[in-house]
Amino acid sequence: MQDKRQNQVNEQTQQGKKEYQEGYFESSLAAGTLAQAGAKDMAREYLASTPPLAGRVYGNIVYWGTVVSAILAIIGSVFSFVTKADYLHPSYIISSIWQENSVEQIWEGSVGHLPHGHWYLNHLASGSGLTELGLAFGVFIVIPAMIGSAFVMFKNKDTLFASLAIMATFITTISMVGLLPLPIG
Amino acid sequence: MLSVFKRAPELMVLILLAVLGYAAMGIFSQVTGTEVLSATSIWSIVVSSFLLSTAIAIVAVIAGIGGGVLFTPVVMAFTSIDTLIVRATGLVVAMFSGLISSGPFMKKGLADIKVVFYCSVPIVIGAISGSFGAIFLSSHMGAMGDAVVRLALGLILIFIALMFILGGSKTEYPKAKKIDNFTHKLGLKGSYWEESLNDKVEYNLTRALPGAFLFLLVGFTGGFFGLGGGWAVVPVLNLVMATPLKVSAACSGVLLALGNSCAIWPYIMYGALIPVFVAPWMIGQVVGGILGAHILARIRAGVVRNILIVILILTSIKLIARGLETMFGINIPIF
């Protein structure tokens, strides 16, 4: 009877360890399960190793934002290829790049002028506009992620690192709105 | 591999979408050939870019460097595509693998959010300054100034690679002998579960102030060459600030995304980010980035170190060769 009970505990412990190692557990319930199964040390380690909320908030926003941006870019690319009159037609654009044309030459040959600013917002119905929106959304997603993470840190009274996050957000936002244009051309 | 798809079904969705998308672009294409390229060649360039980008992203995430370090020199070396387009695309390549791997790194506790935010401010300021500095130097010293800096960088990278080789296993889980007051007050310490050891690894960072200064330089040099800056983030975190190698690699990915997101906006607004050319590189980085992040958590840190050493040496050879080529007007036929 005692051997049977011991085997059952061993099995539960192995299962708990396996699930833990595979990363299925997300909450303290995992630690409880491990502790009940006899793996108390591992349960303590698990709780101590749970990543901070601010990091998970940042990671989740950036991760899912990037997935959305990739989906937008895929859909946009398909539209560019399967529609006849895209804003920036792929055959002309790729051939121009292949011919070693400059950015100015490519845009002037395609739409007659350099774009300047967030040009894609005026061409969201075209494949190129949608693809560029996907790219820009992926670049932008860092800003809400840092704000979200900083908010959690402020709530946890971790003001120093929250302030650093806000400072980095501020610099990135300045770059996004074009107050720090690259001195090119 | 199947477990990766189970744990990240969105990866399966993305791969399916990419495969279906590229198939649809081939089958229902309205793209006509030009004098330079046939319709099939145009489609092949797009698909090859996606596949190459995926491979680059896997290596980049595991090594904790930006894919831009691989992409930018190779494209600049073997093609004559406008350097502004290459730089803009290189920044996307460097950024998106780090961007997509931020989620798994944070979820697994590999990337330390405090370390990331502490280093983000100097790296962002450095990256912007580097972009402006590159254009300033280019207009005053031209190619010679560029060659001198590339040569110096190549030598520095060899030095860092040697430190990794001679440091042995100590660099995988470095222990800070003395924690200075500034770092102690910041409270830069943490722990993570090391799956390959089945144990918790605790760490205390040190030398936060020189680390911040170095990140300013790393950001500057990264922005200066348009390569990102991950190739130097890992050595600074690991060798200077005593961060475990895996945490360094993970933080490097997150920091790259942060730094490059700031540098990339002017390129978008100028029109240097050409959507049809950049998109396959970006999508490849996303797919490869997720795969790389899941592989990183399951392989031993030593494997990461070895990959890193090889990449550092190869990059340094490339940088030195390019510097010498420009300085002496010679041709050095290497990879």
Side-chain angles (χ1 to χ4, degrees), chain A residues 20 45 49 51 55 62-63 81-82 84 91 93 95 104 107 116-117 132 138-139 146 158 175 183, chain B residues 10 30 32 34 80 99-100 106-107 114 132 135 186 193 200 258 262 264 269-271 273-274:
Chain A
Y20 172 76
E45 298 282 283
S49 297
V62 165
Y63 184 79
F81 267 71
V82 301
K84 275 188 177 165
S91 54
I93 297 292
S95 296
E104 292 85 355
W107 279 90
H116 297 300
E132 191 81 353
V139 180
M146 281 196 287
D158 212 343
S175 178
Chain B
E10 62 280 4
Q30 295 293 323
T32 49
T34 61
S80 300
L99 206 56
I100 195 66
M106 290 293 185
K107 199 173 170 185
K114 286 184 177 179
F132 281 85
I135 293 154
L186 284 174
W193 187 266
K200 191 173 77 167
L258 269 170
C262 198
I264 217 161
M269 287 190 276
Y270 186 72
L273 208 72
I274 312 275

mmCIF file of all heavy atoms in Angstrom, chain A residues 20 45 49 51 55 62-63 81-82 84 91 93 95 104 107 116-117 132 138-139 146 158 175 183, chain B residues 10 30 32 34 80 99-100 106-107 114 132 135 186 193 200 258 262 264 269-271 273-274:
data_model
loop_
_atom_site.group_PDB
_atom_site.id
_atom_site.type_symbol
_atom_site.label_atom_id
_atom_site.label_comp_id
_atom_site.label_asym_id
_atom_site.label_seq_id
_atom_site.Cartn_x
_atom_site.Cartn_y
_atom_site.Cartn_z
ATOM 1 N N TYR A 20 6.404 21.598 -15.729
ATOM 2 C CA TYR A 20 7.122 22.826 -15.382
ATOM 3 C C TYR A 20 8.183 23.133 -16.431
ATOM 4 O O TYR A 20 8.289 24.249 -16.946
ATOM 5 C CB TYR A 20 7.777 22.678 -14.007
ATOM 6 C CG TYR A 20 8.674 23.849 -13.729
ATOM 7 C CD1 TYR A 20 8.124 25.072 -13.379
ATOM 8 C CD2 TYR A 20 10.046 23.749 -13.900
ATOM 9 C CE1 TYR A 20 8.930 26.171 -13.178
ATOM 10 C CE2 TYR A 20 10.852 24.834 -13.704
ATOM 11 C CZ TYR A 20 10.292 26.034 -13.343
ATOM 12 O OH TYR A 20 11.098 27.118 -13.161
ATOM 13 N N GLU A 45 11.578 27.279 -5.992
ATOM 14 C CA GLU A 45 12.391 27.815 -7.084
ATOM 15 C C GLU A 45 11.499 28.421 -8.161
ATOM 16 O O GLU A 45 11.789 29.472 -8.714
ATOM 17 C CB GLU A 45 13.231 26.701 -7.729
ATOM 18 C CG GLU A 45 14.218 26.067 -6.800
ATOM 19 C CD GLU A 45 15.439 26.942 -6.602
ATOM 20 O OE1 GLU A 45 16.282 26.970 -7.489
ATOM 21 O OE2 GLU A 45 15.515 27.594 -5.545
ATOM 22 N N SER A 49 11.382 32.220 -9.530
ATOM 23 C CA SER A 49 11.819 32.467 -10.902
ATOM 24 C C SER A 49 10.746 33.094 -11.793
ATOM 25 O O SER A 49 10.999 33.359 -12.949
ATOM 26 C CB SER A 49 12.268 31.155 -11.550
ATOM 27 O OG SER A 49 13.365 30.662 -10.848
ATOM 28 N N PRO A 51 8.895 35.521 -13.846
ATOM 29 C CA PRO A 51 9.355 36.825 -14.335
ATOM 30 C C PRO A 51 8.456 37.962 -13.857
ATOM 31 O O PRO A 51 7.264 37.764 -13.648
ATOM 32 C CB PRO A 51 9.258 36.680 -15.853
ATOM 33 C CG PRO A 51 9.144 35.231 -16.121
ATOM 34 C CD PRO A 51 8.502 34.631 -14.928
ATOM 35 N N GLY A 55 7.895 43.095 -17.130
ATOM 36 C CA GLY A 55 8.558 42.446 -18.263
ATOM 37 C C GLY A 55 7.570 41.691 -19.125
ATOM 38 O O GLY A 55 7.624 41.741 -20.355
ATOM 39 N N VAL A 62 4.644 43.753 -27.214
ATOM 40 C CA VAL A 62 5.562 43.757 -28.361
ATOM 41 C C VAL A 62 5.350 42.510 -29.228
ATOM 42 O O VAL A 62 5.282 42.590 -30.457
ATOM 43 C CB VAL A 62 7.032 43.847 -27.872
ATOM 44 C CG1 VAL A 62 7.995 43.478 -28.980
ATOM 45 C CG2 VAL A 62 7.338 45.263 -27.408
ATOM 46 N N TYR A 63 5.207 41.356 -28.564
ATOM 47 C CA TYR A 63 5.066 40.084 -29.293
ATOM 48 C C TYR A 63 3.830 40.085 -30.197
ATOM 49 O O TYR A 63 3.915 39.847 -31.398
ATOM 50 C CB TYR A 63 4.996 38.941 -28.287
ATOM 51 C CG TYR A 63 4.947 37.560 -28.904
ATOM 52 C CD1 TYR A 63 6.105 36.955 -29.378
ATOM 53 C CD2 TYR A 63 3.755 36.855 -29.000
ATOM 54 C CE1 TYR A 63 6.068 35.684 -29.934
ATOM 55 C CE2 TYR A 63 3.705 35.590 -29.555
ATOM 56 C CZ TYR A 63 4.870 35.009 -30.012
ATOM 57 O OH TYR A 63 4.827 33.751 -30.565
ATOM 58 N N PHE A 81 1.125 42.127 -55.271
ATOM 59 C CA PHE A 81 1.415 41.239 -56.406
ATOM 60 C C PHE A 81 0.173 40.887 -57.234
ATOM 61 O O PHE A 81 0.291 40.647 -58.428
ATOM 62 C CB PHE A 81 2.087 39.947 -55.898
ATOM 63 C CG PHE A 81 3.588 40.030 -55.926
ATOM 64 C CD1 PHE A 81 4.266 40.847 -55.039
ATOM 65 C CD2 PHE A 81 4.337 39.295 -56.835
ATOM 66 C CE1 PHE A 81 5.654 40.940 -55.054
ATOM 67 C CE2 PHE A 81 5.722 39.376 -56.868
ATOM 68 C CZ PHE A 81 6.383 40.202 -55.979
ATOM 69 N N VAL A 82 -0.997 40.794 -56.573
ATOM 70 C CA VAL A 82 -2.175 40.300 -57.310
ATOM 71 C C VAL A 82 -3.061 41.431 -57.857
ATOM 72 O O VAL A 82 -4.039 41.160 -58.527
ATOM 73 C CB VAL A 82 -3.029 39.323 -56.460
ATOM 74 C CG1 VAL A 82 -2.199 38.123 -56.026
ATOM 75 C CG2 VAL A 82 -3.638 40.024 -55.259
ATOM 76 N N LYS A 84 -3.414 44.955 -60.234
ATOM 77 C CA LYS A 84 -2.719 45.472 -61.429
ATOM 78 C C LYS A 84 -2.090 46.839 -61.200
ATOM 79 O O LYS A 84 -1.025 47.135 -61.715
ATOM 80 C CB LYS A 84 -3.697 45.527 -62.605
ATOM 81 C CG LYS A 84 -3.800 44.190 -63.328
ATOM 82 C CD LYS A 84 -4.595 44.300 -64.586
ATOM 83 C CE LYS A 84 -4.603 42.943 -65.298
ATOM 84 N NZ LYS A 84 -5.626 42.870 -66.334
ATOM 85 N N SER A 91 7.002 45.216 -59.889
ATOM 86 C CA SER A 91 7.937 44.957 -60.993
ATOM 87 C C SER A 91 8.850 46.157 -61.213
ATOM 88 O O SER A 91 10.064 45.992 -61.407
ATOM 89 C CB SER A 91 7.180 44.605 -62.276
ATOM 90 O OG SER A 91 6.242 45.603 -62.578
ATOM 91 N N ILE A 93 9.520 48.595 -58.913
ATOM 92 C CA ILE A 93 10.324 48.848 -57.707
ATOM 93 C C ILE A 93 11.502 47.885 -57.613
ATOM 94 O O ILE A 93 12.652 48.301 -57.439
ATOM 95 C CB ILE A 93 9.440 48.728 -56.426
ATOM 96 C CG1 ILE A 93 8.341 49.797 -56.422
ATOM 97 C CG2 ILE A 93 10.283 48.794 -55.160
ATOM 98 C CD1 ILE A 93 8.813 51.219 -56.272
ATOM 99 N N SER A 95 12.850 45.976 -59.938
ATOM 100 C CA SER A 95 13.786 46.172 -61.055
ATOM 101 C C SER A 95 14.654 47.405 -60.821
ATOM 102 O O SER A 95 15.859 47.392 -61.097
ATOM 103 C CB SER A 95 13.021 46.323 -62.372
ATOM 104 O OG SER A 95 12.336 45.136 -62.665
ATOM 105 N N GLU A 104 15.777 58.375 -54.346
ATOM 106 C CA GLU A 104 15.136 59.488 -55.070
ATOM 107 C C GLU A 104 14.671 59.024 -56.448
ATOM 108 O O GLU A 104 13.537 59.286 -56.856
ATOM 109 C CB GLU A 104 16.114 60.668 -55.226
ATOM 110 C CG GLU A 104 16.468 61.365 -53.924
ATOM 111 C CD GLU A 104 17.622 60.682 -53.195
ATOM 112 O OE1 GLU A 104 18.085 59.608 -53.649
ATOM 113 O OE2 GLU A 104 18.051 61.200 -52.148
ATOM 114 N N TRP A 107 11.562 56.634 -56.290
ATOM 115 C CA TRP A 107 10.287 57.313 -55.994
ATOM 116 C C TRP A 107 9.873 58.238 -57.135
ATOM 117 O O TRP A 107 8.692 58.289 -57.493
ATOM 118 C CB TRP A 107 10.386 58.090 -54.680
ATOM 119 C CG TRP A 107 10.190 57.206 -53.499
ATOM 120 C CD1 TRP A 107 11.151 56.532 -52.814
ATOM 121 C CD2 TRP A 107 8.947 56.852 -52.873
ATOM 122 N NE1 TRP A 107 10.600 55.790 -51.800
ATOM 123 C CE2 TRP A 107 9.246 55.971 -51.812
ATOM 124 C CE3 TRP A 107 7.623 57.191 -53.099
ATOM 125 C CZ2 TRP A 107 8.267 55.431 -50.990
ATOM 126 C CZ3 TRP A 107 6.640 56.652 -52.272
ATOM 127 C CH2 TRP A 107 6.962 55.778 -51.233
ATOM 128 N N HIS A 116 8.119 61.804 -48.140
ATOM 129 C CA HIS A 116 8.147 62.649 -46.945
ATOM 130 C C HIS A 116 6.957 62.354 -46.013
ATOM 131 O O HIS A 116 5.825 62.340 -46.438
ATOM 132 C CB HIS A 116 8.172 64.145 -47.286
ATOM 133 C CG HIS A 116 9.426 64.525 -48.032
ATOM 134 N ND1 HIS A 116 10.672 64.342 -47.502
ATOM 135 C CD2 HIS A 116 9.594 65.041 -49.269
ATOM 136 C CE1 HIS A 116 11.565 64.751 -48.392
ATOM 137 N NE2 HIS A 116 10.955 65.157 -49.470
ATOM 138 N N GLY A 117 7.254 62.168 -44.760
ATOM 139 C CA GLY A 117 6.206 61.935 -43.758
ATOM 140 C C GLY A 117 5.656 60.515 -43.818
ATOM 141 O O GLY A 117 6.214 59.641 -44.483
ATOM 142 N N GLU A 132 3.549 48.829 -45.800
ATOM 143 C CA GLU A 132 4.317 49.829 -45.038
ATOM 144 C C GLU A 132 3.658 50.076 -43.680
ATOM 145 O O GLU A 132 4.353 50.293 -42.686
ATOM 146 C CB GLU A 132 4.412 51.133 -45.842
ATOM 147 C CG GLU A 132 5.395 52.143 -45.274
ATOM 148 C CD GLU A 132 6.853 51.874 -45.654
ATOM 149 O OE1 GLU A 132 7.134 50.832 -46.255
ATOM 150 O OE2 GLU A 132 7.708 52.707 -45.310
ATOM 151 N N GLY A 138 4.861 47.662 -36.520
ATOM 152 C CA GLY A 138 5.843 46.877 -35.773
ATOM 153 C C GLY A 138 6.880 47.762 -35.092
ATOM 154 O O GLY A 138 7.324 47.474 -33.985
ATOM 155 N N VAL A 139 7.250 48.852 -35.770
ATOM 156 C CA VAL A 139 8.232 49.781 -35.188
ATOM 157 C C VAL A 139 7.573 50.584 -34.055
ATOM 158 O O VAL A 139 8.177 50.818 -33.007
ATOM 159 C CB VAL A 139 8.793 50.733 -36.279
ATOM 160 C CG1 VAL A 139 9.805 51.705 -35.692
ATOM 161 C CG2 VAL A 139 9.441 49.934 -37.401
ATOM 162 N N MET A 146 6.451 50.086 -23.853
ATOM 163 C CA MET A 146 7.254 50.734 -22.801
ATOM 164 C C MET A 146 6.347 51.500 -21.828
ATOM 165 O O MET A 146 6.586 51.500 -20.622
ATOM 166 C CB MET A 146 8.285 51.678 -23.431
ATOM 167 C CG MET A 146 9.488 50.938 -23.978
ATOM 168 S SD MET A 146 10.910 52.008 -24.301
ATOM 169 C CE MET A 146 10.399 52.880 -25.749
ATOM 170 N N ASP A 158 8.400 51.309 -8.460
ATOM 171 C CA ASP A 158 9.734 51.165 -9.031
ATOM 172 C C ASP A 158 9.985 52.375 -9.927
ATOM 173 O O ASP A 158 10.155 52.258 -11.143
ATOM 174 C CB ASP A 158 9.789 49.870 -9.851
ATOM 175 C CG ASP A 158 11.154 49.244 -9.811
ATOM 176 O OD1 ASP A 158 12.104 49.956 -9.429
ATOM 177 O OD2 ASP A 158 11.263 48.062 -10.163
ATOM 178 N N SER A 175 11.402 60.880 -32.371
ATOM 179 C CA SER A 175 11.883 60.362 -33.645
ATOM 180 C C SER A 175 10.709 60.017 -34.565
ATOM 181 O O SER A 175 10.743 60.298 -35.763
ATOM 182 C CB SER A 175 12.734 59.115 -33.383
ATOM 183 O OG SER A 175 13.171 58.564 -34.582
ATOM 184 N N PRO A 183 19.729 63.792 -41.287
ATOM 185 C CA PRO A 183 20.221 64.764 -42.276
ATOM 186 C C PRO A 183 20.770 64.085 -43.531
ATOM 187 O O PRO A 183 21.976 63.950 -43.710
ATOM 188 C CB PRO A 183 21.325 65.510 -41.514
ATOM 189 C CG PRO A 183 21.803 64.535 -40.499
ATOM 190 C CD PRO A 183 20.663 63.633 -40.165
ATOM 191 N N GLU B 10 0.629 30.704 -33.009
ATOM 192 C CA GLU B 10 0.694 31.868 -33.906
ATOM 193 C C GLU B 10 1.847 31.728 -34.906
ATOM 194 O O GLU B 10 1.789 32.269 -36.009
ATOM 195 C CB GLU B 10 0.815 33.170 -33.111
ATOM 196 C CG GLU B 10 2.044 33.326 -32.240
ATOM 197 C CD GLU B 10 1.948 32.600 -30.904
ATOM 198 O OE1 GLU B 10 0.939 31.897 -30.673
ATOM 199 O OE2 GLU B 10 2.871 32.723 -30.096
ATOM 200 N N GLN B 30 -0.003 39.547 -60.888
ATOM 201 C CA GLN B 30 -0.298 40.481 -61.982
ATOM 202 C C GLN B 30 0.980 41.240 -62.360
ATOM 203 O O GLN B 30 0.934 42.198 -63.124
ATOM 204 C CB GLN B 30 -1.370 41.486 -61.535
ATOM 205 C CG GLN B 30 -2.717 40.877 -61.238
ATOM 206 C CD GLN B 30 -3.389 40.330 -62.487
ATOM 207 O OE1 GLN B 30 -3.282 40.904 -63.559
ATOM 208 N NE2 GLN B 30 -4.045 39.177 -62.360
ATOM 209 N N THR B 32 4.270 42.029 -64.156
ATOM 210 C CA THR B 32 4.824 41.728 -65.482
ATOM 211 C C THR B 32 6.346 41.902 -65.430
ATOM 212 O O THR B 32 6.859 42.661 -64.598
ATOM 213 C CB THR B 32 4.243 42.692 -66.532
ATOM 214 O OG1 THR B 32 4.368 44.024 -66.030
ATOM 215 C CG2 THR B 32 2.783 42.381 -66.813
ATOM 216 N N THR B 34 10.139 43.063 -66.587
ATOM 217 C CA THR B 34 10.698 44.312 -67.112
ATOM 218 C C THR B 34 11.903 43.972 -67.986
ATOM 219 O O THR B 34 12.215 42.789 -68.163
ATOM 220 C CB THR B 34 11.138 45.235 -65.961
ATOM 221 O OG1 THR B 34 12.152 44.555 -65.217
ATOM 222 C CG2 THR B 34 9.979 45.591 -65.056
ATOM 223 N N SER B 80 25.151 45.999 -55.404
ATOM 224 C CA SER B 80 25.373 47.450 -55.451
ATOM 225 C C SER B 80 24.073 48.203 -55.206
ATOM 226 O O SER B 80 23.876 49.313 -55.701
ATOM 227 C CB SER B 80 25.954 47.835 -56.809
ATOM 228 O OG SER B 80 27.169 47.183 -57.002
ATOM 229 N N LEU B 99 12.509 42.173 -31.828
ATOM 230 C CA LEU B 99 11.143 42.576 -31.459
ATOM 231 C C LEU B 99 10.279 41.352 -31.145
ATOM 232 O O LEU B 99 9.630 41.281 -30.104
ATOM 233 C CB LEU B 99 10.554 43.354 -32.641
ATOM 234 C CG LEU B 99 9.461 44.374 -32.378
ATOM 235 C CD1 LEU B 99 9.891 45.421 -31.384
ATOM 236 C CD2 LEU B 99 9.066 45.067 -33.687
ATOM 237 N N ILE B 100 10.294 40.377 -32.062
ATOM 238 C CA ILE B 100 9.422 39.211 -31.887
ATOM 239 C C ILE B 100 9.924 38.304 -30.767
ATOM 240 O O ILE B 100 9.140 37.648 -30.094
ATOM 241 C CB ILE B 100 9.260 38.419 -33.201
ATOM 242 C CG1 ILE B 100 8.076 37.447 -33.126
ATOM 243 C CG2 ILE B 100 10.527 37.685 -33.594
ATOM 244 C CD1 ILE B 100 6.740 38.083 -33.015
ATOM 245 N N MET B 106 10.807 37.610 -22.287
ATOM 246 C CA MET B 106 10.223 38.192 -21.070
ATOM 247 C C MET B 106 9.399 37.145 -20.318
ATOM 248 O O MET B 106 9.404 37.089 -19.090
ATOM 249 C CB MET B 106 9.336 39.383 -21.434
ATOM 250 C CG MET B 106 10.102 40.590 -21.939
ATOM 251 S SD MET B 106 11.125 41.307 -20.639
ATOM 252 C CE MET B 106 11.778 42.752 -21.462
ATOM 253 N N LYS B 107 8.670 36.318 -21.081
ATOM 254 C CA LYS B 107 7.812 35.308 -20.474
ATOM 255 C C LYS B 107 8.628 34.266 -19.718
ATOM 256 O O LYS B 107 8.241 33.792 -18.657
ATOM 257 C CB LYS B 107 6.995 34.629 -21.575
ATOM 258 C CG LYS B 107 5.770 33.894 -21.101
ATOM 259 C CD LYS B 107 4.988 33.432 -22.315
ATOM 260 C CE LYS B 107 3.889 32.487 -21.921
ATOM 261 N NZ LYS B 107 3.211 31.953 -23.115
ATOM 262 N N LYS B 114 14.563 45.377 -15.950
ATOM 263 C CA LYS B 114 15.302 46.486 -15.330
ATOM 264 C C LYS B 114 16.595 46.751 -16.092
ATOM 265 O O LYS B 114 16.964 47.901 -16.339
ATOM 266 C CB LYS B 114 15.615 46.162 -13.864
ATOM 267 C CG LYS B 114 14.398 46.267 -12.955
ATOM 268 C CD LYS B 114 14.816 46.039 -11.521
ATOM 269 C CE LYS B 114 13.635 46.205 -10.580
ATOM 270 N NZ LYS B 114 14.013 45.972 -9.189
ATOM 271 N N PHE B 132 23.520 60.529 -37.044
ATOM 272 C CA PHE B 132 23.905 61.886 -37.425
ATOM 273 C C PHE B 132 25.417 61.975 -37.646
ATOM 274 O O PHE B 132 25.878 62.612 -38.594
ATOM 275 C CB PHE B 132 23.477 62.883 -36.345
ATOM 276 C CG PHE B 132 22.018 63.220 -36.411
ATOM 277 C CD1 PHE B 132 21.073 62.429 -35.800
ATOM 278 C CD2 PHE B 132 21.577 64.345 -37.105
ATOM 279 C CE1 PHE B 132 19.730 62.729 -35.866
ATOM 280 C CE2 PHE B 132 20.240 64.650 -37.182
ATOM 281 C CZ PHE B 132 19.306 63.837 -36.557
ATOM 282 N N ILE B 135 26.684 60.608 -41.055
ATOM 283 C CA ILE B 135 26.457 61.514 -42.184
ATOM 284 C C ILE B 135 27.427 62.698 -42.110
ATOM 285 O O ILE B 135 27.986 63.126 -43.110
ATOM 286 C CB ILE B 135 24.982 61.975 -42.198
ATOM 287 C CG1 ILE B 135 24.105 60.760 -42.523
ATOM 288 C CG2 ILE B 135 24.742 63.072 -43.228
ATOM 289 C CD1 ILE B 135 22.728 60.835 -42.018
ATOM 290 N N LEU B 186 21.142 50.818 -7.550
ATOM 291 C CA LEU B 186 20.179 50.587 -8.634
ATOM 292 C C LEU B 186 19.395 49.287 -8.417
ATOM 293 O O LEU B 186 18.264 49.142 -8.870
ATOM 294 C CB LEU B 186 20.911 50.490 -9.987
ATOM 295 C CG LEU B 186 21.400 51.786 -10.618
ATOM 296 C CD1 LEU B 186 22.232 51.472 -11.858
ATOM 297 C CD2 LEU B 186 20.245 52.692 -10.998
ATOM 298 N N TRP B 193 15.285 30.725 -14.532
ATOM 299 C CA TRP B 193 15.340 29.267 -14.521
ATOM 300 C C TRP B 193 16.083 28.797 -15.749
ATOM 301 O O TRP B 193 15.669 29.059 -16.874
ATOM 302 C CB TRP B 193 13.924 28.680 -14.499
ATOM 303 C CG TRP B 193 13.952 27.194 -14.318
ATOM 304 C CD1 TRP B 193 13.927 26.249 -15.291
ATOM 305 C CD2 TRP B 193 14.035 26.494 -13.082
ATOM 306 N NE1 TRP B 193 13.996 24.995 -14.750
ATOM 307 C CE2 TRP B 193 14.051 25.119 -13.389
ATOM 308 C CE3 TRP B 193 14.099 26.885 -11.742
ATOM 309 C CZ2 TRP B 193 14.125 24.133 -12.411
ATOM 310 C CZ3 TRP B 193 14.166 25.896 -10.769
ATOM 311 C CH2 TRP B 193 14.179 24.547 -11.109
ATOM 312 N N LYS B 200 17.912 27.051 -10.912
ATOM 313 C CA LYS B 200 17.791 28.504 -10.959
ATOM 314 C C LYS B 200 19.180 29.135 -10.943
ATOM 315 O O LYS B 200 20.049 28.715 -10.184
ATOM 316 C CB LYS B 200 16.994 28.996 -9.750
ATOM 317 C CG LYS B 200 16.602 30.467 -9.859
ATOM 318 C CD LYS B 200 15.687 30.883 -8.739
ATOM 319 C CE LYS B 200 16.452 31.083 -7.447
ATOM 320 N NZ LYS B 200 15.656 31.765 -6.421
ATOM 321 N N LEU B 258 14.480 48.114 -29.247
ATOM 322 C CA LEU B 258 14.257 49.452 -28.675
ATOM 323 C C LEU B 258 15.099 50.508 -29.392
ATOM 324 O O LEU B 258 14.587 51.541 -29.818
ATOM 325 C CB LEU B 258 14.642 49.435 -27.193
ATOM 326 C CG LEU B 258 13.549 49.110 -26.194
ATOM 327 C CD1 LEU B 258 14.139 48.900 -24.821
ATOM 328 C CD2 LEU B 258 12.542 50.223 -26.152
ATOM 329 N N CYS B 262 13.909 53.625 -32.679
ATOM 330 C CA CYS B 262 14.130 55.068 -32.654
ATOM 331 C C CYS B 262 14.826 55.529 -33.936
ATOM 332 O O CYS B 262 14.482 56.571 -34.507
ATOM 333 C CB CYS B 262 14.982 55.392 -31.436
ATOM 334 S SG CYS B 262 14.929 57.096 -30.982
ATOM 335 N N ILE B 264 14.830 54.110 -36.921
ATOM 336 C CA ILE B 264 14.227 53.723 -38.200
ATOM 337 C C ILE B 264 13.190 54.721 -38.735
ATOM 338 O O ILE B 264 12.956 54.796 -39.945
ATOM 339 C CB ILE B 264 13.614 52.302 -38.062
ATOM 340 C CG1 ILE B 264 13.812 51.535 -39.358
ATOM 341 C CG2 ILE B 264 12.177 52.324 -37.666
ATOM 342 C CD1 ILE B 264 13.672 50.051 -39.186
ATOM 343 N N MET B 269 10.073 57.886 -43.082
ATOM 344 C CA MET B 269 9.505 59.146 -43.565
ATOM 345 C C MET B 269 10.218 59.650 -44.818
ATOM 346 O O MET B 269 9.627 60.353 -45.619
ATOM 347 C CB MET B 269 9.533 60.186 -42.452
ATOM 348 C CG MET B 269 8.482 59.862 -41.395
ATOM 349 S SD MET B 269 8.256 61.145 -40.208
ATOM 350 C CE MET B 269 9.537 60.767 -39.087
ATOM 351 N N TYR B 270 11.478 59.277 -44.975
ATOM 352 C CA TYR B 270 12.217 59.702 -46.161
ATOM 353 C C TYR B 270 11.861 58.842 -47.383
ATOM 354 O O TYR B 270 12.045 59.255 -48.517
ATOM 355 C CB TYR B 270 13.725 59.613 -45.895
ATOM 356 C CG TYR B 270 14.554 60.173 -47.020
ATOM 357 C CD1 TYR B 270 14.609 61.550 -47.253
ATOM 358 C CD2 TYR B 270 15.274 59.335 -47.864
ATOM 359 C CE1 TYR B 270 15.361 62.065 -48.296
ATOM 360 C CE2 TYR B 270 16.028 59.840 -48.907
ATOM 361 C CZ TYR B 270 16.073 61.213 -49.121
ATOM 362 O OH TYR B 270 16.811 61.715 -50.161
ATOM 363 N N GLY B 271 11.334 57.620 -47.124
ATOM 364 C CA GLY B 271 10.974 56.733 -48.231
ATOM 365 C C GLY B 271 12.029 55.684 -48.527
ATOM 366 O O GLY B 271 11.962 54.986 -49.549
ATOM 367 N N LEU B 273 12.545 53.057 -46.810
ATOM 368 C CA LEU B 273 12.038 51.734 -46.444
ATOM 369 C C LEU B 273 11.013 51.333 -47.513
ATOM 370 O O LEU B 273 9.827 51.632 -47.395
ATOM 371 C CB LEU B 273 11.388 51.797 -45.060
ATOM 372 C CG LEU B 273 11.410 50.515 -44.252
ATOM 373 C CD1 LEU B 273 12.809 50.222 -43.750
ATOM 374 C CD2 LEU B 273 10.470 50.613 -43.072
ATOM 375 N N ILE B 274 11.490 50.655 -48.566
ATOM 376 C CA ILE B 274 10.641 50.310 -49.709
ATOM 377 C C ILE B 274 9.839 49.045 -49.360
ATOM 378 O O ILE B 274 10.433 47.974 -49.197
ATOM 379 C CB ILE B 274 11.498 50.042 -50.971
ATOM 380 C CG1 ILE B 274 12.521 51.165 -51.174
ATOM 381 C CG2 ILE B 274 10.617 49.791 -52.180
ATOM 382 C CD1 ILE B 274 12.076 52.371 -51.899
#
